[in-house]
Amino acid sequence: QLQLVESGGDLVQPGGSLTLSCVGSGATLNDYPIAWFRRAPGKELEGISCATRAGSITHITDSLKGRFTISRDNAKNRVYLRMTNLKPDDTAIYYCATRTRSWLACSRREYDFDSWGQGTQVTVSS
């Protein structure tokens, strides 16, 4: 049973930066793709980023390109979401997710994933 745990969420001022991390237990994350999702207040879950196993192929949703970066460090069995120039609209609970049941390269679709973290709160406010 794979469990994911996100960390790094915090209160940050607009324009600030934050790095979220996701670590797995019970199994290695190195064998699976990783995606980041977020749920803002009053909004649906939004897939924002994904990375293949090697991290050589990554995707960021268009509205976040240039500000958010996904990366993974397989030596540490972790995946990161680097967030810069944060805006109040970035306030959300952020989740990492992976797929273990079959092969998947990279996806930002909720239904493609079968293992989720508990989420970490990011609040952008002055």
Side-chain angles (χ1 to χ4, degrees), residues 1 10 31 53 63 68 71 74 76 78 82 89 93 97 99-100 104 111-112 117 121-122 125-126:
Q1 181 176 332
D10 206 348
D31 295 335
R53 291 172 57 189
S63 64
F68 285 22
S71 64
N74 286 348
K76 299 180 180 179
R78 287 180 179 267
R82 175 66 172 169
D89 285 347
I93 301 175
R99 177 185 176 103
T100 63
L104 177 70
Y111 55 78
D112 280 335
Q121 176 71 49
V122 174
S125 176
S126 61

Side-chain angles (χ1 to χ4, degrees), residues 10-17 85-88 123-126:
D10 206 348
L11 173 65
V12 62
Q13 295 182 358
S17 299
N85 193 23
L86 285 163
K87 306 177 185 299
T123 302
V124 185
S125 176
S126 61

Side-chain angles (χ1 to χ4, degrees), residues 5 14-15 24 28 33 47 62-63 74 78 84 96-98 101 113 116 121 125-126:
V5 179
T28 179
D62 286 345
S63 64
N74 286 348
R78 287 180 179 267
T84 64
C96 63
T98 191
R101 65 180 183 268
F113 296 89
W116 295 76
Q121 176 71 49
S125 176
S126 61

Side-chain angles (χ1 to χ4, degrees), residues 15-87:
S17 299
L18 203 60
T19 299
L20 308 182
S21 66
C22 176
V23 64
S25 63
T28 179
L29 293 181
N30 298 346
D31 295 335
Y32 310 109
I34 289 289
W36 285 95
F37 295 79
R38 68 181 183 181
R39 189 185 299 277
K43 297 184 178 180
E44 296 181 351
L45 191 69
E46 177 189 16
I48 61 173
S49 184
C50 67
T52 57
R53 291 172 57 189
S56 58
I57 300 175
T58 61
H59 297 282
I60 301 289
T61 194
D62 286 345
S63 64
L64 300 178
K65 288 180 179 177
R67 296 197 299 116
F68 285 22
T69 303
I70 188 171
S71 64
R72 60 193 313 167
D73 187 341
N74 286 348
K76 299 180 180 179
N77 199 30
R78 287 180 179 267
V79 62
Y80 302 95
L81 183 68
R82 175 66 172 169
M83 311 163 67
T84 64
N85 193 23
L86 285 163
K87 306 177 185 299

